[in-house]
Amino acid sequence: AKTELSSCRENIHRLTTELDASKCSELQISKEIQHVRTLLATEESKSRTYEYENAALIKRMLEEKESFASEMNKMNSKAESMKATNSFINTARNLFTTTTSSSNNNNNNSEELLRSSTLNDQQTEKVKNDMNLNLNT
């Protein structure tokens, strides 16, 4: 009976030790689960922040694209207007040249008109170059 009692005490002691180890392991697993939950919450918060920042960036890019398109439309309109003006000046220059070529005085006026037209052509080219520079930047 003493050997049975001693064997039972050893079993109780062994089982108590295993139970304590199991409780310790359970506590450690519980702490690890809590740590993982905290990390998950942190990463979800970062993800929401990134989504918000990304949406704001996309909105800003679209607004800038609209602004750029509007500026391009204005520049194209200005270029077309200048082409029309230049065409009108060339027509007037040709008409003036043909109607005034008989007189020296009229030739002087014609030369002045040609110089003026040439300046206008140079201004048109400058605007075109400026527009090309704006497009490339």
Side-chain angles (χ1 to χ4, degrees):
K2 280 191 169 191
T3 55
E4 281 185 34
L5 183 59
S6 179
S7 176
C8 284
R9 284 184 181 159
E10 284 178 19
N11 279 339
I12 290 173
H13 179 60
R14 183 181 53 80
L15 291 172
T16 303
T17 303
E18 287 178 10
L19 181 61
D20 288 343
S22 175
K23 286 180 181 177
C24 183
S25 179
E26 181 184 339
L27 181 61
Q28 185 179 2
I29 289 172
S30 178
K31 285 181 181 179
E32 286 180 16
I33 289 172
Q34 186 58 38
H35 178 69
V36 168
R37 286 180 179 155
T38 302
L39 288 175
L40 179 61
T42 301
E43 294 303 316
E44 286 175 341
S45 176
K46 285 181 184 178
S47 177
R48 282 189 297 276
T49 300
Y50 293 148
E51 286 175 357
Y52 174 77
E53 290 173 353
N54 189 41
L57 179 61
I58 289 171
K59 180 181 177 186
R60 192 177 89 224
M61 288 173 63
L62 290 174
E63 288 171 351
E64 287 179 12
K65 183 179 178 182
E66 285 179 20
S67 175
F68 180 74
S70 176
E71 285 296 316
M72 289 300 300
N73 288 337
K74 287 178 185 176
M75 288 171 36
N76 285 337
S77 177
K78 181 84 170 174
E80 290 299 319
S81 173
M82 292 180 80
K83 284 180 187 176
T85 302
N86 193 33
S87 175
F88 174 76
I89 290 173
N90 286 336
T91 302
R93 175 178 46 192
N94 291 337
L95 179 64
F96 189 76
T97 300
T98 57
T99 58
T100 60
S101 62
S102 61
S103 150
N104 282 340
N105 188 23
N106 287 338
N107 282 338
N108 290 337
N109 290 338
S110 176
E111 289 172 9
E112 181 62 33
L113 182 58
L114 285 172
R115 278 193 295 273
S116 173
S117 177
T118 301
L119 287 175
N120 195 341
D121 290 344
Q122 291 170 350
Q123 291 171 341
T124 301
E125 283 302 314
K126 182 180 181 322
V127 169
K128 286 180 185 176
N129 289 335
D130 289 347
M131 288 184 347
N132 286 334
L133 288 175
N134 287 337
L135 287 175
N136 292 331
T137 56

